[in-house]
Amino acid sequence: FAVGYEGKDFIAAGDPLPIAEMVYQQQPPDLGLTQADWDHLIALYDEEIRYFDTQFRKLLDGLEERGLLGNTLIAVVSDHGEEFLEHGDVKHCRNVFDTQVRTPLLLKIPGSNPQRFDQAVQNLDLAPTLLDYAGIDASSLNLEGQSLRPLIEADVDAPVQARIAFSRWKDLRSV
């Protein structure tokens, strides 16, 4: 946390909305922000991440203390990244760069070893995967995603259907 920051009130409060309004209203590119302003906003964002990490650790510790961690399926997902003018954007959901669309999808499956997959998967695969592991037939639910269980368990008799991952925002598209 950036202790001792003495700048703009909205930045001290961690509110990038006024910056976004300046950027998206086509104001001059000089936003009048100092490096200390950006450092403070980024430090506040990093603090949010540290807070989540701390709370998540408490959750895992609580499960372990109760003897539940070994047989609990845990999913950690994110919907988008944040930007601090890396591509001329502030906040999120304004473009289809990797910083916005490549997000974590972490699953801890009881009895499964840690793995990393090169195959594209999508957040919409999460619900079918969780339902599959819960033993619930999702075939009648008309979900767009597909269970990742065959990929996770390397079931060669039931491979995950190869596909392309898409993203879009307004008139922007990525494949």
Side-chain angles (χ1 to χ4, degrees):
F1 196 86
V3 177
Y5 172 78
E6 295 182 14
K8 296 167 181 54
D9 289 342
F10 70 92
I11 290 178
D15 181 9
L17 187 58
I19 300 169
E21 289 171 351
M22 287 185 268
V23 169
Y24 303 128
Q25 290 174 1
Q26 304 302 316
Q27 300 240 349
D30 179 11
L31 303 176
L33 301 177
T34 67
Q35 188 60 49
D37 294 333
W38 288 111
D39 290 346
H40 183 72
L41 282 174
I42 292 168
L44 290 173
Y45 183 66
D46 290 346
E47 183 64 24
E48 289 180 30
I49 295 167
R50 278 190 294 279
Y51 177 79
F52 170 80
D53 289 348
T54 300
Q55 299 307 308
F56 187 61
R57 177 80 260 159
K58 288 179 183 179
L59 172 67
L60 295 178
D61 289 345
L63 289 170
E64 188 167 30
E65 288 169 10
R66 291 168 183 79
L68 300 172
L69 186 59
N71 63 358
T72 300
L73 189 150
I74 299 172
V76 177
V77 296
S78 176
D79 63 343
H80 55 71
E82 297 290 333
E83 291 211 356
F84 297 95
L85 290 181
E86 290 90 346
H87 298 102
D89 290 309
V90 179
K91 297 176 55 175
H92 56 262
C93 298
R94 297 294 243 176
N95 63 53
V96 293
F97 286 105
D98 279 357
T99 53
Q100 298 281 305
V101 300
R102 286 187 61 116
T103 60
L105 173 61
L106 307 169
L107 298 173
K108 182 208 145 309
I109 311 286
S112 181
N113 293 321
Q115 308 172 63
R116 182 181 180 126
F117 301 103
D118 293 329
Q119 183 172 348
V121 298
Q122 300 181 77
N123 284 352
L124 53 85
D125 296 328
L126 183 61
T129 302
L130 296 177
L131 291 170
D132 190 0
Y133 275 101
I136 299 170
D137 180 11
S139 60
S140 65
L141 298 178
N142 197 29
L143 299 172
E144 290 184 41
Q146 57 186 319
S147 175
L148 300 175
R149 190 171 187 171
L151 178 65
I152 293 165
E153 297 179 3
D155 182 351
V156 293
D157 294 328
V160 172
Q161 203 174 57
R163 64 182 169 161
I164 297 171
F166 297 92
S167 283
R168 70 182 179 123
W169 185 78
K170 293 192 176 184
D171 62 338
L172 303 175
R173 305 287 186 268
S174 71
V175 179

